[in-house]
């Protein structure tokens, strides 16, 4: 099978490429990535020569048409992905996440190919801290940030194309990922790399916000399971029962890195900051044989910390850029 992976030089996409190379050796992979600030081509060094890497944008209709025509399956990870950035400059989010997805589904439709569209639980908005409810596939979309609004828009386009044009697509909405090769602008790598640099972590607001954490390999295994076992036209929520508030999660990172639990600072909150995400992944569990392997976040975090400690060259430049951006907004 010839597989086009958009955004394959980013965090989840690069981990997908490495994992699929190991677990599905008969899949021939091409990466299409615009190599924005969020990409790190070094993430694909372990598969150099085994995977075609094309630098280009999903918003480029000619390039997208040519590449889609030459593949059987498209796995669409490419996106502008950071909420904080979307509050400063929403346009790239509209362009890549909405227009880029439009260009892709038009090409997939023209050439009658198979698509798996990657999305996020953030399209559903947030839950109260004391609400026993979790998101399901029937939760109404109610996005809060420019980022999540563009992801919801993309999901709606894919769904409309499946219904109106018979697009052969599946969709998945996953909770917060962690693991190696995540950009140091994101919460977990920001704090790990900061602590390695001797800098105190920064918690937004009161640190009460809850995220439902999943190891990136568990997310990518679920994507493969949906591609192979999911039903066309369906959405699957991906999550691994990993709810933690930011303060507790940070306390665990601090403990694993030999710091006291109070070694952090509160900083002003993110505007519109979603309170809580929580995923009910019953449908995925019922319809596929997927089960998470990284059930213990302590082990997963320890492995992630070890990866960042051993790969300073991978994150050093990106961290400097991310921290200068945070400094501009006082976070
Ligand atoms: P990331 O920012 O690390 O990577 C995104 C990649 O897309 C980068 O390599 C970037 O260069 C590329 N890209 C950006 N614009 C592009 C364009 N116009 N054309 C081609 N490539 C472009 O993001 P990530 O965390 O790996 O997220 C990947 C996908 O998973 C996104 O769709 C995101 O919405 C979704 N998702 C992420 C999480 C999470 O916790 N990180 C959770 C659920 C869903
Ligand atoms: O320094 C920080 N301090 C802090 O308290 C940062 C960077 C974040 N936070 C908080 C904000 C969130 O409550 O930590 C939580 C996680 O923040 P992010 O890593 O920015 O992730 P989030 O906004 O939850 O979105 C992520 O998960 C869903 C991804 O970035 C999205 O791409 C994905 O769709």
């Amino acid at each position: 099978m010839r597989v086009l992976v958009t955004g394959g030089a980013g965090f989840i996409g690069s981990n997908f490429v490495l994992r699929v190379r190991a677990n599905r050796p008969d899949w021939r992979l091409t990466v299409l990535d615009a190599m924005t600030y969020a990409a790190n081509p070094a993430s694909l060094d372990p598969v150099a020569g085994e995977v075609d890497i094309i630098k280009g944008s999903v918003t480029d209709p000619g390039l997208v048409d040519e590449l889609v025509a030459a593949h059987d399956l498209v796995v669409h990870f490419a996106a502008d992905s950071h909420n904080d950035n979307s509050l400063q400059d929403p346009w790239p989010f509209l362009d890549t996440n909405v227009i880029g997805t439009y260009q892709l589904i038009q090409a997939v439709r023209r050439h009658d190919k198979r698509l798996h569209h990657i999305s996020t639980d953030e399209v559903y908005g947030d839950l109260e801290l004391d609400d026993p409810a979790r998101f399901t596939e029937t939760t109404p979309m109610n996005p809060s940030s420019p980022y999540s609004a563009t992801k919801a828009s993309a999901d709606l386009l894919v769904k409309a194309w499946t219904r109106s044009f018979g697009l052969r697509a599946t969709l998945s909405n996953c909770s917060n990922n962690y693991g190696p090769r995540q950009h140091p602008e994101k919460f977990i790598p920001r704090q790990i790399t900061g602590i390695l640099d001797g800098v105190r972590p920064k918690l937004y607001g009161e640190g009460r916000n809850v995220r439902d954490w999943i190891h990136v390999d568990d997310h990518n295994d679920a994507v493969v399971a949906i591609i192979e076992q999911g039903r066309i036209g369906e959405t699957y929520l991906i999550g691994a029962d990993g709810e933690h508030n930011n303060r507790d999660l940070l306390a665990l990172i601090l403990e694993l890195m030999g710091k006291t639990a109070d070694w952090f600072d509160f900083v002003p909150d993110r505007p519109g900051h979603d309170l809580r995400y929580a995923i009910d992944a019953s449908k995925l569990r019922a319809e596929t044989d997927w089960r998470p392997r990284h059930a213990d976040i302590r082990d997963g975090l320890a492995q992630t910390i070890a990866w960042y400690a051993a790969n300073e060259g991978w994150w050093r430049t990106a961290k400097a850029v991310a921290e200068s951006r945070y400094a501009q907004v006082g976070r």
Side-chain angles (χ1 to χ4, degrees):
M1 184 156 68
R2 296 164 304 170
V3 184
L4 180 64
V5 182
T6 74
F11 164 46
I12 306 175
S14 64
N15 280 291
F16 179 83
V17 168
L18 301 186
R19 200 151 177 83
V20 162
R21 278 300 304 149
N23 295 345
R24 294 289 181 279
D26 51 330
W27 291 17
R28 276 181 30 216
L29 304 181
T30 304
V31 166
L32 169 62
D33 198 297
M35 303 297 175
T36 70
Y37 83 96
N40 194 331
S43 297
L44 297 172
D45 283 352
V47 292
E50 299 170 21
V51 170
D52 289 329
I53 300 172
I54 313 273
K55 182 178 175 184
S57 176
V58 290
T59 61
D60 177 342
L63 177 63
V64 165
D65 187 77
E66 187 187 312
L67 287 171
V68 168
H71 292 81
D72 305 301
L73 163 70
V74 180
V75 189
H76 179 35
F77 290 97
D80 237 309
S81 72
H82 193 37
N83 275 300
D84 288 317
N85 293 342
S86 81
L87 296 164
Q88 304 310 314
D89 183 12
W91 168 245
F93 291 76
L94 280 141
D95 192 29
T96 290
N97 302 0
V98 183
I99 307 298
T101 299
Y102 164 76
Q103 297 298 0
L104 212 55
I105 56 181
Q106 283 288 74
V108 169
R109 176 188 166 202
R110 267 194 301 275
H111 299 288
D112 188 23
K113 303 293 184 176
R114 169 84 163 85
L115 170 72
H116 182 74
H117 173 72
I118 304 288
S119 191
T120 168
D121 59 0
E122 296 195 18
V123 302
Y124 301 112
D126 59 356
L127 299 160
E128 295 297 330
L129 293 178
D130 56 0
D131 186 344
R134 299 193 287 173
F135 299 137
T136 72
E137 289 77 5
T138 57
T139 303
M141 287 189 183
N142 185 27
S144 314
S145 75
Y147 161 69
S148 49
T150 60
K151 291 298 293 187
S153 306
D155 294 12
L156 291 173
L157 292 175
V158 176
K159 285 172 193 273
W161 262 238
T162 63
R163 169 137 179 189
S164 295
F165 306 121
L167 192 81
R168 289 189 294 126
T170 40
L171 304 90
S172 56
N173 296 73
C174 188
S175 60
N176 283 59
N177 285 218
Y178 74 95
R181 301 174 200 88
Q182 185 170 30
H183 194 282
E185 70 191 354
K186 303 294 192 326
F187 179 63
I188 289 178
R190 184 184 190 201
Q191 313 309 357
I192 293 173
T193 54
I195 296 167
L196 289 170
D197 276 348
V199 175
R200 290 162 72 96
K202 296 184 171 64
L203 264 188
Y204 293 175
E206 296 174 7
R208 292 185 315 138
N209 306 62
V210 171
R211 296 295 181 265
D212 190 350
W213 293 97
I214 183 171
H215 192 280
V216 64
D217 286 345
D218 283 334
H219 179 186
N220 283 325
D221 286 351
V223 169
V224 172
I226 294 164
I227 289 166
E228 293 180 339
Q229 303 164 45
R231 286 180 292 140
I232 296 294
E234 293 293 314
T235 293
Y236 295 86
L237 263 53
I238 306 174
D241 304 321
E243 281 188 69
H244 298 275
N245 75 35
N246 293 338
R247 198 169 172 160
D248 291 347
L249 193 77
L250 180 59
L252 186 51
I253 295 172
L254 287 166
E255 183 203 324
L256 289 166
M257 297 185 75
K259 300 285 183 193
T260 55
D262 59 354
W263 200 70
F264 69 87
D265 296 311
F266 288 114
V267 294
D269 209 352
R270 170 189 285 171
H273 195 176
D274 278 338
L275 214 44
R276 170 171 161 253
Y277 306 139
I279 290 269
D280 176 349
S282 305
K283 178 176 173 183
L284 175 68
R285 286 172 176 265
E287 295 191 19
T288 72
D289 60 10
W290 175 84
R291 298 291 178 269
R293 292 159 187 251
H294 293 267
D296 187 342
I297 186 130
R298 196 187 177 86
D299 289 350
L301 278 178
Q303 176 219 45
T304 304
I305 291 166
W307 189 87
Y308 281 93
N311 290 279
E312 183 188 341
W314 185 95
W315 53 264
R316 178 56 67 196
T317 307
K319 178 156 185 78
V321 176
E323 290 303 330
S324 71
R325 255 194 222 146
Y326 279 124
Q328 286 167 22
V329 292
R331 286 200 291 276

